[in-house]
Amino acid sequence: MNTDQKMRQSTSASAYGGRAGTDAGDGDPPVRAKRFWSARRVPAGIVALAVFAVSGLLLYDVAAVRSGRPAMRWREWLADQLAARPLDDPWIMSGAALLAALGVWMVVLALTPGLRGLLPMRSPGAGAGAGGGKDVEDAEAGVAVRAGIDRASAGLVLRDRAMEVPGVRSARVDVGRRRIRTRALAHFRDLDEVRADLDTALHEGIHQLGLARRPALSVRVRRSAKSKG
């Protein structure tokens, strides 16, 4: 018995609603939601403390030199090295490249939202027919309501939905920002039927999560040689 006979596999790679990020067929219009921005308090605090320490040390050294005291040895050594080494020196070039990379990294941190593990959800006012009651009243009154779900929690919810499908023995759901990958192991029923039911269950689960941007869905179902049927 060769490898193909030992492992039967059925694969489905279908985008939710025909294309990632669209909601065709479920009645909900697409929603444009902004990502959550990370506060980044720890990096900002570290940078502020470093700048404060270096600035305070330089200010103290300059004040000491102005009062007639000798400069610190490290500043004298640094001034001598900068005066003696040419601009094309490897150490000068390496230091400049390191500082430039650090500056680019800080600019990227300042301009990107971060929190890649948090997926924005629909606001209560998105789609007037979907919600009702107090949520719609708050949306009409201009109350800003934003919600999000982390990718790990979304994966657990979808995994529970996958385990409810008859024939699924185990399942693993990896939720990304643009694609949800599901791998399931079936121990009875036809693989194509299990895969079709998984597609339906996960589509419904993604819809109930209320994500602002619907990720594409990829489902893979397999059965090992030890499984019967």
Side-chain angles (χ1 to χ4, degrees):
M1 183 178 294
N2 55 27
T3 305
D4 293 337
Q5 292 175 338
K6 291 181 179 179
M7 186 74 71
R8 296 178 55 203
Q9 182 167 312
S10 174
T11 304
S12 169
S14 58
Y16 185 85
R19 188 180 64 180
T22 62
D23 302 322
D26 61 5
D28 294 335
V31 175
R32 187 178 183 88
K34 296 181 180 179
R35 289 177 55 188
F36 291 88
W37 280 77
S38 174
R40 295 188 176 96
R41 295 183 178 89
V42 174
I46 293 175
V47 172
L49 288 176
V51 171
F52 177 78
V54 173
S55 300
L57 188 61
L58 289 175
L59 181 61
Y60 171 80
D61 191 47
V62 171
V65 172
R66 292 292 183 179
S67 62
R69 297 180 180 180
M72 294 183 180
R73 292 184 179 180
W74 67 268
R75 196 161 72 93
E76 292 181 351
W77 176 86
L78 181 61
D80 293 339
Q81 292 294 324
L82 292 177
R85 293 181 181 271
L87 294 179
D88 57 351
D89 185 84
W91 288 101
I92 299 295
M93 299 292 291
S94 301
L98 179 61
L99 291 176
L102 182 60
V104 171
W105 178 65
M106 294 179 65
V107 171
V108 170
L109 286 180
L111 297 179
T112 54
L115 295 180
R116 297 176 61 87
L118 192 61
L119 300 176
M121 301 175 65
R122 287 172 172 265
S123 61
K134 187 177 184 301
D135 291 339
V136 176
E137 294 177 0
D138 291 341
E140 293 177 352
V143 179
V145 179
R146 297 189 64 196
I149 181 172
D150 62 277
R151 287 155 51 179
S153 298
L156 290 176
V157 172
L158 295 178
R159 178 184 175 276
D160 291 341
R161 295 298 299 266
M163 293 300 297
E164 295 175 357
V165 175
V168 175
R169 179 179 180 180
S170 62
R172 177 178 177 181
V173 181
D174 296 324
V175 179
R177 292 180 54 214
R178 289 182 169 82
R179 182 173 294 275
I180 297 177
R181 292 178 173 85
T182 304
R183 293 184 291 273
L185 184 66
H187 59 110
F188 69 91
R189 297 182 67 200
D190 183 74
L191 291 180
D192 291 334
E193 295 179 359
V194 175
R195 187 261 302 164
D197 290 346
L198 267 177
D199 280 336
T200 302
L202 292 177
H203 281 164
E204 183 179 356
I206 294 173
H207 173 72
Q208 292 180 353
L209 286 178
L211 300 178
R213 176 186 175 89
R214 300 291 175 83
L217 177 62
S218 175
V219 177
R220 177 172 297 177
V221 182
R222 64 183 178 87
R223 176 163 52 230
S224 63
K226 296 181 179 180
S227 300
K228 296 182 180 180

